[in-house]
Amino acid sequence: MTDATTPKTSGAARKISGSGRNLDLFRVRHIPDSVESRPVPLSVTEPSSLNKPVSKSFYFWLMVPAILVLAFISIYPFFWMIYMSLHDVDIGHIEWNNFANFIKLPSDTRFLMGWLLLAQYSAMCLTLQIVIGVFLALALNGTRLEKVLVTTLLMPMMMAPLVAGMVWYFLYNGTFGWYHWLLQSLGILGPKSILASSNTAMIGLVLVDVWQWTPLITLITLAGLKRVPQDQLEANMVDGASPFRNFVSVTMPNLYPVLLIAIMLRFMDNFRFIDSILVLTGGGPGNATKILPVYLFEVSFKFFKLGRGAAIALILLIVTIILGKLLVRVFDRQQPSKV
Amino acid sequence: MAKVSFRNVWKKYGDIPAVKDLNIECQDGSFLSVLGPSGCGKSSTMRMVAGLEHITSGQILFDERPINDLAPKDRDVAMVFENYALYPHKSVYENMANPLKLRGQDAAVIKERVTAAAKLLEINHLLERRPQELSGGQKQRVAIGRAIVREPNLFLFDEPIAHLDAKLRAHMRGEIKHLQRTLGTTMIYVTHDQLEAMSMADMIAVMHDGELQQLGTPRQVYNHPVNAWVAGFVGEPAMNFVDVGVEDRAGRTHFTHQNFSVAVTEEQQRQISNGSRESVLRMGVRPDALSISMTKPSDSCITGKIFVTELLGGDMIVDVDLDDCRIRVKTSTEFSGEEGQTCYMTVNTNKWHAFSKENGKAFF
């Protein structure tokens, strides 16, 4: 009902209702009298600043500073990287080299090994983190000390990866490292530090990553557990499910989406966080832990082959994007809609 | 199918009792409705039967067999939840097949049972869909379907139709009642809607503040409420309560008020004098136990002023102002009183009630 017709209608309704009981139905009951008879002001005196559409260009100018900053720190380096990857780059000398940076890569065994090691490293980290993280979340969920324990658990995550690397470097140290002593006493390790043998160095790195980032998985899983619908769990219990069955058929489907997010975050981190690795092994012993990002760092900033480094970086970026896209697609398919 | 008994059942959350000393016998194959406002302990009661809630003390028995320590899956009950609780990642068929699957039935048996249940509930064309593609009423049917695919000891329905719109709710009331009669399975049905309880149940257990107020057939609960609280909760429009004085006039007890003075029947007089000697009682009259007219029928009528009239299509509700309260009268649409006019009401003294002012207990 528009403003203009309201007083008219209600006036008519009042007349009708006055003339006979059984026409009472026509009365507009839900509109209180005070509203009906309120005079409608002829001139609109509403504050003009409210609800007035603002021109689009205004919003654009609001965004300009952000765009500029972003362009400077992110977009410009990105294009500069592409540019470098296509050239021979030396100090004071840049020369087009007909994709030589890319063409040489397939025959670079350390580049290929880098991929293999990165895959190994990431797979081990993710598996351990997901399994331990989910298990911890399940153990913590709903316990009385949940909040305290979660806060405690999060501490490793708060540490800068570089610092974490340092701490573990000391713990692993072959002469005075406490963990080294422990592992040795248990007969798991020989006299050599875990990082000193090419067979075990990767495991040492994985342990650090697991130690630092499992809490993130736990945190995300806990959040996921909170939104598992209680009534579905109960319905399934009444339907005849054992607790384990209940977990598999109700809890897990609700956890998939959050776990996918966690996996995505972690695999991307594995592809770019090398702080602790640089501190702990620097890619050694030999090339045993030279995962691709470490190799990239070496090529660019130790050998100073900026062009080749840029080419590797570009490929790493493209692979990351493709894998991310794939995960998002799986995520979209898994996402259960609300009931 | 089973007989369900509650023996001195208590449920406490911390120190706060939610269900206090509940004693109910629900006969095999009957339809028991647990009725009460929110927070009265009715849902806790049902969840204790389902095994979703620990029984603080007392016993719940199926056919005289205590089930306190059985896991939900071993109690062989089927429950329908208020918000359906369907599994969103499963199709309707899989949802309904779930209880059978969990009990290790053959695929052929599952298919047969699910199809039969779907046919009964008229949802056989929806079996391939996912819950999110269904309307509220359809989801409800699926939830009920999931409960009836196997033959459980007991159905537990927890406000199953509370979220449906009024028209569909009225329809589903009939369907659920018919379903229960057809299957013959004992049913416990929790609701806050007295109309649902009245229209469907064989027995109603009215609960308030964790205590069982009255256990009886719908007729008993409606016609002979044991206390003022039950009387006020059951019935729509609600019962009118008027505080009246008790006076003896020529050997007959009268209920007196500024607006009226009406004699009670002999039987009722005996019930009052047996009960107490309170000088003020609470009189309860249902809106349909009053007849209203614009002319004075006799001296023992109630005089009042019309506050407002409400036409409900088939009949009319008239709100009448007495000196100190307002009462509602149900009458036919022929009634022609106008707002502000004086009107006269006579009470059907066979259908009125008197409650103690002190503890609310009914005298009659």
Side-chain angles (χ1 to χ4, degrees):
Chain A
M1 204 182 286
T2 61
D3 277 348
T5 58
T6 311
K8 227 193 218 165
T9 319
S10 62
R14 196 174 295 134
K15 224 180 273 165
I16 292 167
S17 74
S19 67
R21 260 292 135 192
N22 30 5
L23 288 174
D24 218 5
L25 267 183
F26 295 103
R27 185 158 184 182
V28 188
R29 267 193 191 281
H30 59 276
I31 300 173
D33 249 87
S34 58
V35 175
E36 285 178 54
S37 53
R38 189 187 295 159
V40 180
L42 287 175
S43 61
V44 180
T45 53
E46 280 169 20
S48 56
S49 62
L50 293 174
N51 297 329
K52 197 180 155 189
V54 184
S55 69
K56 283 236 169 80
S57 69
F58 177 71
Y59 291 124
F60 173 75
W61 287 113
L62 281 182
M63 288 194 298
V64 162
I67 292 174
L68 281 180
V69 170
L70 204 67
F72 189 71
I73 63 169
S74 173
I75 299 172
Y76 165 72
F78 173 70
F79 286 105
W80 180 234
M81 179 185 77
I82 295 178
Y83 178 79
M84 282 202 299
S85 71
L86 299 170
H87 293 75
D88 255 340
V89 184
D90 261 324
I91 296 167
H93 169 80
I94 293 182
E95 191 184 324
W96 172 261
N97 66 358
N98 289 325
F99 300 98
N101 290 331
F102 289 98
I103 291 164
K104 277 188 213 154
L105 283 179
S107 53
D108 181 349
T109 46
R110 274 191 289 172
F111 171 75
L112 299 176
M113 265 319 274
W115 274 115
L116 191 66
L117 290 171
L118 175 61
Q120 265 178 23
Y121 173 69
S122 192
M124 279 196 277
C125 287
L126 281 175
T127 314
L128 283 174
Q129 281 168 11
I130 296 286
V131 171
I132 302 174
V134 170
F135 185 75
L136 276 175
L138 286 173
L140 284 175
N141 189 29
T143 54
R144 210 159 4 128
L145 290 173
E146 183 182 337
K147 283 197 176 130
V148 182
L149 289 174
V150 168
T151 314
T152 322
L153 200 72
L154 288 185
M155 280 188 198
M157 234 172 77
M158 307 297 164
M159 208 178 274
L162 189 83
V163 179
M166 295 295 266
V167 169
W168 280 83
Y169 183 71
F170 289 121
L171 290 169
Y172 279 154
N173 188 289
T175 5
F176 54 81
W178 195 82
Y179 280 9
H180 179 72
W181 172 80
L182 185 74
L183 290 171
Q184 210 178 354
S185 311
L186 291 171
I188 297 169
L189 268 188
K192 260 164 92 185
S193 160
I194 191 170
L195 298 176
S197 153
S198 48
N199 297 326
T200 53
M202 183 65 97
I203 295 170
L205 296 183
V206 169
L207 284 181
V208 177
D209 196 73
V210 168
W211 170 81
Q212 188 163 28
W213 294 109
T214 300
L216 178 73
I217 308 282
T218 307
L219 196 68
I220 293 176
T221 312
L222 268 175
L225 283 174
K226 301 286 178 220
R227 45 158 254 184
V228 174
Q230 198 62 30
D231 56 348
Q232 282 176 34
L233 289 172
E234 290 178 344
N236 206 33
M237 265 158 79
V238 176
D239 278 355
S242 61
F244 177 72
R245 193 63 199 259
N246 215 354
F247 174 76
V248 172
S249 61
V250 180
T251 310
M252 277 315 278
N254 280 289
L255 278 186
Y256 285 141
V258 291
L259 282 182
L260 278 168
I261 290 177
I263 289 171
M264 184 137 88
L265 285 175
R266 287 306 305 139
F267 106 79
M268 284 180 171
D269 283 352
N270 283 151
F271 276 37
R272 60 204 179 101
F273 278 4
I274 53 166
D275 324 28
S276 59
I277 299 176
L278 286 180
V279 175
L280 286 162
T281 66
N287 289 323
T289 60
K290 199 162 284 173
I291 65 172
L292 194 69
V294 176
Y295 179 58
L296 158 63
F297 177 81
E298 207 168 62
V299 168
S300 288
F301 302 110
K302 278 193 178 154
F303 308 148
F304 232 72
K305 302 261 198 258
L306 289 176
R308 197 143 70 92
I312 296 172
L314 191 62
I315 291 174
L316 190 62
L317 178 70
I318 290 168
V319 171
T320 311
I321 291 173
I322 291 173
L323 285 179
K325 273 275 175 207
L326 283 176
L327 270 175
V328 169
R329 188 174 291 179
V330 177
F331 170 75
D332 278 346
R333 209 173 299 156
Q334 283 287 342
Q335 179 83 332
S337 330
K338 284 180 205 123
V339 190
Chain B
M1 280 180 266
K3 180 177 121 181
V4 183
S5 322
F6 296 79
R7 303 262 163 87
N8 307 98
V9 172
W10 283 78
K11 175 71 201 173
K12 286 183 187 166
Y13 296 100
D15 285 336
I16 304 155
V19 176
K20 301 173 193 163
D21 199 23
L22 191 65
N23 285 289
I24 298 177
E25 295 275 321
C26 175
Q27 292 308 319
D28 188 3
S30 71
F31 190 133
L32 171 76
S33 177
V34 182
L35 173 66
S38 51
C40 73
K42 58 188 192 301
S43 282
S44 297
T45 305
M46 168 159 287
R47 293 169 59 82
M48 281 191 286
V49 178
L52 300 172
E53 211 71 75
H54 176 72
I55 301 167
T56 310
S57 73
Q59 276 189 324
I60 296 178
L61 306 101
F62 290 175
D63 285 333
E64 305 302 329
R65 191 168 45 90
I67 48 110
N68 287 34
D69 299 325
L70 289 182
K73 68 187 176 78
D74 301 322
R75 297 193 181 191
D76 199 20
V77 299
M79 185 158 172
V80 177
F81 289 77
E82 181 176 0
N83 38 12
Y84 322 127
L86 300 177
Y87 314 118
H89 48 279
K90 290 181 177 169
S91 70
V92 167
Y93 179 87
E94 287 165 331
N95 262 285
M96 289 173 62
N98 192 47
L100 296 172
K101 225 181 203 166
L102 287 169
R103 284 177 165 72
Q105 295 274 13
D106 290 343
V109 178
I110 294 178
K111 189 164 171 113
E112 185 193 316
R113 296 264 201 98
V114 171
T115 318
K119 209 171 228 168
L120 189 64
L121 294 163
E122 293 161 20
I123 48 173
N124 31 8
H125 58 294
L126 303 172
L127 289 175
E128 297 310 313
R129 294 209 202 160
R130 299 255 161 163
Q132 65 263 28
E133 295 160 354
L134 303 179
S135 69
Q138 289 169 334
K139 279 181 201 166
Q140 192 51 64
R141 280 162 196 267
V142 177
I144 294 174
R146 189 171 61 183
I148 65 172
V149 282
R150 63 197 175 84
E151 281 128 33
N153 273 331
L154 176 65
F155 284 134
L156 299 172
F157 280 35
D158 188 0
E159 311 218 11
I161 56 179
H163 289 318
L164 304 182
D165 61 70
K167 212 166 187 178
L168 196 53
R169 208 154 58 217
H171 178 66
M172 286 305 282
R173 276 206 304 267
E175 297 228 336
I176 293 175
K177 184 170 183 173
H178 178 72
L179 191 71
Q180 195 269 339
R181 295 280 188 277
T182 316
L183 300 171
T185 308
T186 318
M187 162 117 74
I188 298 182
Y189 186 103
V190 161
T191 180
H192 64 266
D193 183 344
Q194 53 91 26
L195 185 62
E196 275 174 31
M198 293 292 295
S199 59
M200 294 159 77
D202 298 320
M203 292 291 272
I204 298 181
V206 188
M207 288 184 75
H208 178 47
D209 276 345
E211 281 177 61
L212 179 65
Q213 304 288 324
Q214 185 168 6
L215 177 65
T217 63
R219 270 175 220 284
Q220 283 169 339
V221 172
Y222 187 82
N223 294 330
H224 305 288
V226 294
N227 59 34
W229 193 87
V230 173
F233 190 72
V234 175
E236 172 64 35
M239 184 183 278
N240 300 300
F241 291 105
V242 182
D243 286 350
V244 292
V246 183
E247 274 176 30
D248 270 347
R249 288 185 193 163
R252 175 61 62 89
T253 304
H254 283 64
F255 285 168
T256 57
H257 184 264
Q258 288 129 294
N259 300 71
F260 61 89
S261 169
V262 186
V264 304
T265 64
E266 267 175 65
E267 166 94 23
Q268 290 164 350
Q269 183 166 345
R270 225 175 311 117
Q271 282 161 324
I272 295 177
S273 47
N274 288 347
S276 91
R277 291 255 49 109
E278 289 175 56
S279 59
V280 178
L281 291 179
R282 178 157 289 178
M283 178 188 88
V285 191
R286 294 204 183 275
D288 53 5
L290 286 163
S291 50
I292 189 167
S293 69
M294 300 306 291
T295 52
K296 197 168 185 174
S298 69
D299 280 341
S300 65
C301 66
I302 305 171
T303 316
K305 204 181 235 179
I306 298 176
F307 173 68
V308 77
T309 58
E310 294 167 49
L311 187 67
L312 301 180
D315 30 40
M316 187 183 263
I317 304 292
V318 187
D319 288 32
V320 182
D321 272 337
L322 303 188
D323 283 354
D324 60 347
C325 58
R326 180 173 297 159
I327 61 174
R328 310 186 85 194
V329 183
K330 195 173 187 176
T331 183
S332 73
T333 50
E334 267 80 68
F335 180 71
S336 60
E338 288 278 343
E339 285 154 32
Q341 290 178 327
T342 304
C343 64
Y344 305 93
M345 289 153 291
T346 29
V347 184
N348 178 348
T349 49
N350 291 318
K351 281 190 170 182
W352 67 351
H353 304 271
F355 305 99
S356 157
K357 270 286 273 181
E358 275 165 28
N359 54 20
K361 283 230 165 63
F363 295 110
F364 55 83

